């Protein structure tokens, strides 16, 4: 297991019981480097949406635990937030919840001249994701080809 995976897994192991206690969902934990700084992010949600107060409560408990455990070698910024409207789909539970919803797929490499596709999520499994395009046709993508898949939203 890489250091990144170790950090994410330990954080997730602490957060999961905390989420259950408060009736929240742990959407994702990520440890990423952006603009020269490391970030440990926890994305949380609940029915009806997460509030700033919810994030603050979890953030305080998470921060206290991180200070006590002190297992991350580098300096980092810890954040707790909502996954937002255009939340990425990463786990099977995300895909299951989003069946029938409009998603946007960004590929690592272009297919048929495009790297981005939008459609209704029709099916998924460990290897593939299938969407229905606007013209009614279905398109299957290998998960290995997908750089990012998230809920689509229009304003």
């Amino acid at each position: 297991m890489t250091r990144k995976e170790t950090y994410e897994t330990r954080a997730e192991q602490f957060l999961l019981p905390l989420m259950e206690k408060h009736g929240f969902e742990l959407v994702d934990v990520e440890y990423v480097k952006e603009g020269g700084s490391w970030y440990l992010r926890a994305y949380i949600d609940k029915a009806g949406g997460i509030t700033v107060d919810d994030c603050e409560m979890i953030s305080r408990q998470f921060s206290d635990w991180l200070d006590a455990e002190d297992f991350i070698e580098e300096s980092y910024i810890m954040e707790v937030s909502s996954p937002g409207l255009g939340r990425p789909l990463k786990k099977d539970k995300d895909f299951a919840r989003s069946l029938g919803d409009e998603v946007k797929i960004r590929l690592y490499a272009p297919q048929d001249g495009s790297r981005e596709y939008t459609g209704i999520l029709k099916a998924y499994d460990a290897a593939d994701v299938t969407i229905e395009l606007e013209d009614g046709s279905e398109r299957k993508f290998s998960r290995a080809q997908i750089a990012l898949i998230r809920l689509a939203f229009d304003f």
Side-chain angles (χ1 to χ4, degrees):
M1 193 179 299
T2 67
R3 186 171 27 183
K4 172 186 178 338
E5 292 168 330
T6 300
Y7 295 166
E8 291 171 349
T9 299
R10 284 192 67 184
E12 191 171 298
Q13 288 170 345
F14 169 76
L15 288 166
L16 283 172
L18 191 58
M19 297 296 103
E20 190 174 314
K21 175 182 173 186
H22 294 287
F24 299 166
E25 174 193 359
L26 181 61
V27 175
D28 196 19
V29 174
E30 65 179 6
Y31 185 71
V32 295
K33 190 168 191 175
E34 294 177 359
S37 297
W38 283 99
Y39 290 84
L40 177 62
R41 292 191 180 112
Y43 296 99
I44 63 175
D45 207 357
K46 70 176 180 186
I50 212 78
T51 68
V52 172
D53 290 339
D54 296 331
C55 290
E56 180 183 357
M57 175 191 55
I58 298 301
S59 180
R60 287 178 194 265
Q61 293 176 57
F62 190 30
S63 178
D64 290 347
W65 177 78
L66 288 166
D67 288 346
E69 294 294 313
D70 196 27
F71 62 92
I72 299 177
E73 297 173 16
E74 304 84 12
S75 63
Y76 62 94
I77 299 164
M78 185 271 298
E79 297 177 347
V80 175
S81 69
S82 161
L85 290 174
R87 69 191 282 174
L89 309 182
K90 294 186 175 186
K91 300 175 181 171
D92 282 347
K93 67 180 181 178
D94 300 328
F95 285 92
R97 177 181 37 245
S98 300
L99 280 171
D101 291 338
E102 188 174 33
V103 295
K104 187 171 193 169
I105 294 176
R106 185 176 311 132
L107 304 173
Y108 287 111
Q111 273 190 12
D112 299 328
S114 181
R115 285 181 35 153
E116 292 193 359
Y117 290 86
T118 302
I120 304 299
L121 180 62
K122 297 305 257 182
Y124 71 94
D125 59 30
D128 301 306
V129 172
T130 303
I131 62 171
E132 180 181 314
L133 301 174
E134 194 174 276
D135 66 6
S137 65
E138 289 191 356
R139 180 91 189 230
K140 185 183 282 191
F141 299 95
S142 163
R143 281 198 180 187
Q145 299 171 305
I146 298 173
L148 178 68
I149 181 169
R150 65 175 58 221
L151 293 175
F153 55 93
D154 294 320
F155 289 100

